[in-house]
Amino acid sequence: MAAGPALTDAARPARLFLALWPDAATRRTLAQARDQWRWEQGSAPRSPAPVRSDKLHLTLHFIGNVDRSRLPALQAGLAVACSAFELAFGRHALWARGIAVLEPLALPPALLALHGALGDALRDLGLPVEQRPFRPHVTLARHARNALPPLHTPPFTWRPAGYALVESRLDAGGGYHPLTHYPCR
Ligand code: 3AM
């Protein structure tokens, strides 16, 4: 199939998700937790891929591709009430298909309320909402079927200042870029 004309940045859709975006200290703690795993090699066809420190986050909703002309309406429509909460971490797990994660030890009602309010906001904006149950986690690595989690990991607490609308960019090194930060009070 012939390649179409290259899209300019303005014409390319934005690939979006909503997330709890760590502050610098929490990001360092999450990276330390990631680095306590042993990424056993040899799990063909793909080698374990630890998540880059600057990409660590907790996804609230995956949105997908959205036309950039809709961004201002989305940024406004995704401002929902959010009560401050804290997340205690300390449980590592290896999910199906080799997803290594860190899970919160408990689910604060305010986190579930935030997830629900954002789901409602996405529906109001005419965007699809994931039907599977919400399983909050921080992905630490992918393709890690044979990885070994740490036996003991010091628990720690993350108090998110808020949530963020984040763009996943495939160009420029494939980073995640928060577009809007929304406070929790
Ligand atoms: O926080 P995690 O790593 O679980 O896997 C992707 C990542 O989740 C997920 O969105 C988060 C930010 O990229 N994701 C990517 N594509 C997806 C899709 N098509 C998806 N989630 C659901 N459907």
Side-chain angles (χ1 to χ4, degrees):
M1 195 172 69
L7 293 176
T8 63
D9 278 356
R12 190 180 291 128
R15 185 174 174 81
L16 303 173
F17 60 99
L18 288 157
L20 300 181
W21 195 249
D23 57 87
T26 303
R27 187 173 295 288
R28 277 194 296 276
T29 307
L30 291 170
Q32 284 163 5
R34 175 201 59 203
D35 293 341
Q36 290 167 352
W37 282 70
R38 282 174 48 198
W39 311 119
E40 302 294 309
Q41 300 299 320
S43 52
R46 302 194 60 172
S47 297
V51 173
R52 265 166 40 186
S53 298
D54 63 303
K55 296 178 82 172
L56 292 165
H57 66 276
L58 187 151
T59 299
L60 294 167
H61 287 275
F62 177 73
I63 300 174
N65 285 341
V66 174
D67 194 289
R68 277 178 203 282
S69 64
R70 297 191 64 193
L71 273 179
L74 250 75
Q75 287 170 303
L78 292 172
V80 300
C82 175
S83 302
F85 58 90
E86 58 179 44
L87 287 170
F89 280 96
R91 185 168 61 231
H92 293 261
L94 190 54
W95 285 2
R97 295 187 291 281
I99 309 285
V101 300
L102 189 59
E103 296 173 299
L105 300 171
L107 299 185
L111 169 63
L112 301 180
L114 173 62
H115 179 262
L118 288 172
D120 291 343
L122 289 170
R123 272 183 284 270
D124 288 348
L125 288 159
L127 292 165
V129 178
E130 171 73 75
Q131 292 305 305
R132 289 176 298 184
F134 179 42
R135 292 174 73 190
H137 63 279
V138 177
T139 299
L140 300 177
R142 298 187 171 82
H143 317 299
R145 281 194 172 80
N146 299 328
L148 298 174
L151 292 179
H152 303 289
T153 188
F156 68 94
T157 300
W158 175 10
R159 294 178 186 83
Y163 62 97
L165 176 65
V166 185
E167 179 176 0
S168 170
R169 299 196 60 160
L170 299 177
D171 58 342
Y176 294 158
H177 301 270
L179 301 178
T180 315
H181 288 279
Y182 303 87
C184 292
R185 300 182 198 286

